């Protein structure tokens, strides 16, 4: 399936060929009051566990219970190539995308190591890598990943996007196909927590473009060095992104923007986020590119944001602006900018601790401890 170099398609054509999952409001005042009461009467001063208490309350509300349990966490790394990379917007060659997919599956990447450490199942999705992968023992659809056995899901829509400085990155049909792939994949995965990761040389450019168009941010202020561009390379990247925005000046609908300037991995991830939100899974968002998928999803279904927990604040300047637009408070600020889902994996044990504290820590009454005078 090849991309068509034109932006002349109807915004509504996407909604005709892809039905978006409905994401309802999960606000429950009674549940929130019960959970807050439990937290306030644990054997500690009120609020003394800070953000840990806030996250316990948030997960209880997402899962709809005052005894939240995180089950069978699924790390899903969405991978694809970008036609725009040919314009020199990355310090690394496009071959790194497929090479890193192999590294994920071999267990040598940061996300592989951290997922294995924390017992998180690792799923790698070929959404549009510009290369085919060898047949693997885990290929049959009924085989699900184990913590020590990563799984490759073949969901290739095209061999990378087209160069969005000359036409659309994806046709409407390709974008809808990717969205549908993401939603269907989540339906097939067990558990109640989805951790987001990504891989794709050039995808910080797509994230910057989505932020600039959907939030009205100046592109030069939300574009960073990505994989390590020098000053000259960064200036070239910004010039290319300005060209893309000018080329698609009339595109504003969120899905049309995604098709025109996004990536196949971002589109597939957007579909996955929407489905996970509809199923009331806890969605652990990693860095700049994964947050871009959440941004697009939230413009379609605003209540998506009720289900999201943000692992960290990236070193990419655009990520800070994007988090501000989403009114998101990330858990970590460790200058991470690797991607892959590495930040989501690092934050995972904090979320486990929050649930354990809520469920197992004694109350003043059960422990026979005197309350505050």
């Amino acid at each position: 399936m090849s991309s068509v170099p034109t932006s002349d398609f109807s915004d509504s054509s996407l909604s005709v060929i892809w039905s978006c999952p409905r994401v309802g409001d999960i606000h429950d005042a009674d549940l929130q009051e019960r959970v807050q009461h439990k937290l306030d009467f644990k054997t500690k001063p009120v609020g003394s566990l800070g953000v840990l208490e806030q996250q316990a309350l948030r997960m209880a509300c997402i899962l709809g219970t005052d005894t939240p349990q995180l089950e069978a966490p699924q790390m899903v790394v969405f991978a694809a190539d970008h036609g725009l990379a040919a314009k020199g917007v990355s310090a690394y060659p496009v071959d790194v995308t497929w090479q890193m997919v192999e590294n994920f599956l071999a267990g040598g990447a940061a996300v592989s190591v951290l997922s294995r450490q924390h017992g998180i199942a690792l799923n790698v999705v070929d959404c549009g890598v510009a290369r085919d992968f060898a047949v693997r023992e885990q290929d049959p659809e009924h085989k699900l990943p184990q913590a020590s056995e990563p799984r490759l899901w073949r969901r290739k829509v095209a061999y990378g996007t087209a160069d969005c400085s000359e036409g659309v990155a994806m046709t409407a049909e390709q974008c809808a196909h990717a969205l549908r792939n993401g939603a269907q994949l989540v339906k097939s995965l067990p558990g109640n927590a989805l951790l987001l990761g990504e891989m794709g040389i050039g995808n910080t450019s797509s994230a910057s473009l989505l932020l600039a168009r959907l939030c009205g941010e100046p592109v030069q202020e939300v574009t960073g060095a990505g994989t390590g561009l020098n000053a000259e390379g960064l200036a070239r990247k910004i010039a290319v992104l300005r060209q893309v925005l000018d080329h698609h000046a009339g595109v504003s609908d969120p899905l049309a923007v995604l098709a025109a300037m996004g990536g196949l991995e971002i589109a597939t991830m957007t579909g996955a986020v929407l489905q996970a939100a509809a199923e009331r899974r806890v969605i652990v968002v990693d860095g700049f590119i994964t947050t871009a998928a959440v941004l697009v999803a939230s413009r379609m279904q605003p209540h998506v944001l009720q289900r999201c927990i943000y692992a960290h604040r990236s070193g990419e300047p655009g990520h800070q602006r994007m988090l501000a637009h989403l009114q998101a408070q990330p858990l970590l600020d460790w200058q991470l900018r690797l991607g892959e889902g590495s930040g989501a994996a690092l934050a995972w044990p904090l979320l486990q601790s929050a649930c354990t504290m809520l469920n197992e820590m004694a109350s003043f009454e059960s422990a026979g401890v005197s309350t505050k005078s």
Side-chain angles (χ1 to χ4, degrees), residues 52 56 59 70 347-359:
L52 194 71
M59 285 183 288
L70 294 170
W348 178 250
L350 299 177
L351 303 182
Q352 291 180 302
S353 294
C355 290
T356 302
M357 177 273 296
L358 178 61
N359 293 332

Side-chain angles (χ1 to χ4, degrees), residues 31-221:
L31 172 62
Q32 187 168 335
E33 184 177 350
R34 288 200 312 276
V35 175
Q36 191 61 59
H37 184 272
K38 285 182 67 173
L39 289 167
D40 289 347
F41 284 86
K42 297 292 184 183
T43 48
K44 60 174 180 56
V46 172
S48 59
L49 283 176
V51 175
L52 194 71
E53 296 186 40
Q54 297 170 20
Q55 295 307 318
L57 176 59
R58 188 166 187 82
M59 285 183 288
C61 291
I62 293 171
L63 298 174
T65 174
D66 59 5
T67 55
Q69 301 279 353
L70 294 170
E71 301 170 353
Q74 303 293 314
M75 172 69 74
V76 185
V77 181
F78 301 83
D81 280 300
H82 293 250
L84 192 64
K87 293 294 172 67
V89 295
S90 173
Y92 282 77
V94 293
D95 279 348
V96 170
T97 301
W98 72 261
Q99 291 166 354
M100 283 303 299
V101 168
E102 294 285 6
N103 194 22
F104 297 149
L105 296 170
V111 72
S112 310
V113 171
L114 294 170
S115 294
R116 188 164 61 242
Q117 177 191 7
H118 298 305
I120 303 168
L122 177 57
N123 304 268
V124 185
V125 189
D126 175 7
C127 310
V129 179
R131 183 184 179 98
D132 288 321
F133 296 97
V135 174
R136 285 173 159 79
E137 183 182 347
Q138 284 289 88
D139 273 2
E141 290 289 307
H142 69 277
K143 290 196 173 183
L144 295 174
Q146 306 298 320
S148 58
E149 297 178 2
R151 165 69 204 263
L152 176 66
W153 298 93
R154 301 169 192 272
R155 297 295 185 270
K156 194 191 302 288
V157 174
Y159 289 89
T161 53
D163 182 349
C164 60
S165 69
E166 299 177 359
V168 293
M170 296 166 267
T171 64
E173 291 75 14
Q174 288 174 327
C175 187
H177 189 179
L179 289 160
R180 187 165 53 248
N181 280 348
Q184 291 175 344
L185 177 61
V186 167
K187 288 181 182 179
S188 71
L189 294 176
N192 60 6
L194 177 71
L195 292 80
L196 301 177
E198 45 64 38
M199 179 64 220
I201 294 300
N203 63 10
T204 60
S205 292
S206 285
S208 294
L209 289 166
L210 293 170
L211 174 59
R213 179 52 51 84
L214 294 177
C215 298
E217 291 282 355
V219 72
Q220 70 275 12
E221 295 182 16

Side-chain angles (χ1 to χ4, degrees), residues 281-348:
R281 299 195 191 209
V282 174
I283 302 170
V284 187
V285 187
D286 185 38
F288 188 30
I289 293 91
T290 61
T291 310
V294 170
L295 172 64
V296 175
S298 70
R299 292 302 175 91
M300 299 160 61
Q301 296 282 339
H303 292 309
V304 159
L305 300 180
Q306 294 177 330
R307 282 76 160 177
C308 293
I309 293 174
Y310 301 85
H312 72 103
R313 179 181 287 106
S314 168
E316 279 286 313
H319 193 219
Q320 300 180 40
R321 298 285 187 95
M322 196 178 283
L323 290 170
H325 279 283
L326 297 175
Q327 298 183 322
Q329 296 296 322
L331 293 176
L332 306 174
D333 194 353
W334 285 3
Q335 301 172 27
L336 304 173
R337 53 184 180 87
L338 173 61
E340 301 181 1
S342 52
L346 282 170
W348 178 250

Side-chain angles (χ1 to χ4, degrees), residues 2-7 162 167-171 174:
S2 62
S3 295
V4 178
T6 174
S7 59
V168 293
M170 296 166 267
T171 64
Q174 288 174 327

